[in-house]
Amino acid sequence: MNWLDEANFVRMQARLNNEMFGSFIPLIASENVESPLCQEMLLTDFHGRYAEGTPDMRYYQGCKYFDEVEKKAMELAKRLFNCSYANVQTLSGTVANMAMFKSLTKPGGKLLALDTAAGGHISAGKYGAAGFRGLAIITFPFDEEKWNIDVDKSVKLIETERPNLTLAGGSVILFPIPLKEIAEATKAIDSYMAFDGAHVLGLIGGKHFQDPLHEGAQVMTASTHKTFPGPQGGIVLANPDLDTEEGKKFARRLDFGCFPGVTSNYHLHHVAAKAVVLAEHLEFGEAYAKQTIANAKAFAQALWERGFQVLCEPYGFTESHQVLLRIGKPNEGKGKWASEKLEDGGLITNQEILPGDKSPTFTSGLRLGTQELTRIGMKEKDMEDVAEFMKQVLLDKKNPAKVKEKIKEFRKDFQFIHYCFHADEWKAYEYRKLI
Ligand SMILES: Cc1ncc(COP(=O)(O)O)c(C=O)c1O
């Protein structure tokens, strides 16, 4: 066996993957493309180092530069989200949720969260992080027409069920969630409300979505790689009053939930990458978030006009980066079929479980996101073209290979990455190590 060939096999797959994403249309709502500065940080020596603890309170030596990086990341996060507390250590959105569960709940406690068929994430479910913490889970009453929680019923449920923690936010999030009403109800029973901003963090930071930490959420957890276009990772944000003992204690609990709660070494190069992208977001975030949402609205409209069943038409389809389609009837598996056909045609999407579906792998939904298309320079008019490609594959049943060729041509105009420093020189999907 030639082990170099084995290693090269892996490198080749990475190159092919880069080529694929450089010539396809990326529509997965939880993905993004990283800026040159972000990539640069991921290749630094920080990658090989350890820094357990918190800045200036380390168990290992050699952290003096990294301490400055982590402090800067926290400072920029607090600035961007206008809050008093940030922890940038968690390795993903799921791990951020684990840290938050550890900080705010006890095993056997009760969690109110969204059902997965209503867009809730598995980390708030019994087979995910919430179950791992031993939480009993109840789910929000949900209004499918409006794709949002039913506020009145939710408030009543909070009064009767008295959850220890209420977690709003999810993986399918088309509209802002009425947090103020929910926050009042949780406050009245002396419990916590948190917001899972994994999907919409970049829109919140870009000031074009709701602002959970100022609408009553005591904590916001998130991934740093979805609409927020950073490295894969997590973040925990909060806004306690640090001039009070109570506020300081709350911050310490959150820190303790992150370390030693759910991390030891926490991937220092990713923290450095988070820091530079936070700075980029302070510079470009508003324009990016605005265009991402405008693109999503234009995309939804264009799909609707071409005959797709786009959810929430009476409510303007979407206020986020996402567009949701129903393909066929529940439990027919047409969502899965559509996502596979689209991949053959050069469009990357994912099937989505919708109300009525029994299995997350055999669904009637497609979830689409415009954040990555926005980063590679697409505007509203380009959404018409993308909708047309989808129509050709799924409704006109054109040969997917032919559509893929057309998309390859179309993509030639969208090779550079936007809303970041050095945008003009930087081709998306061509990372330095591989070229
Ligand atoms: C609402 C929500 N929370 C948490 C997560 C988990 O994030 P990660 O994949 O970074 O662990 C996701 C991921 O898709 C999500 O959609």
Side-chain angles (χ1 to χ4, degrees), residues 271-288:
V271 173
K274 284 173 197 175
V276 296
V277 180
L278 284 161
E280 290 186 323
H281 219 68
L282 281 156
E283 177 87 21
F284 305 104
E286 288 195 32
Y288 155 74

Side-chain angles (χ1 to χ4, degrees), residues 30 91-95 97 119-121 123 169-172 196-199 222-226 233-234 367:
S30 58
L91 306 186
S92 72
T94 297
V95 181
N97 278 343
H121 187 252
S123 59
S171 307
V172 185
D196 183 337
H199 261 270
S223 310
T224 51
H225 50 266
K226 295 182 166 104
R367 186 189 64 174

Side-chain angles (χ1 to χ4, degrees), residues 226-300:
K226 295 182 166 104
T227 54
F228 185 79
Q232 292 193 331
I235 193 163
V236 179
L237 299 157
N239 197 26
D241 181 351
L242 294 179
D243 290 332
T244 65
E245 272 317 305
E246 199 190 344
K248 283 186 203 147
K249 197 169 150 207
F250 189 72
R252 277 199 301 274
R253 268 168 69 193
L254 290 176
D255 270 347
F256 200 66
C258 295
F259 175 85
V262 292
T263 54
S264 95
N265 174 43
Y266 47 88
H267 305 188
L268 313 192
H269 55 319
H270 283 239
V271 173
K274 284 173 197 175
V276 296
V277 180
L278 284 161
E280 290 186 323
H281 219 68
L282 281 156
E283 177 87 21
F284 305 104
E286 288 195 32
Y288 155 74
K290 187 172 178 211
Q291 188 63 53
T292 297
I293 296 166
N295 283 351
K297 285 173 179 288
F299 189 32

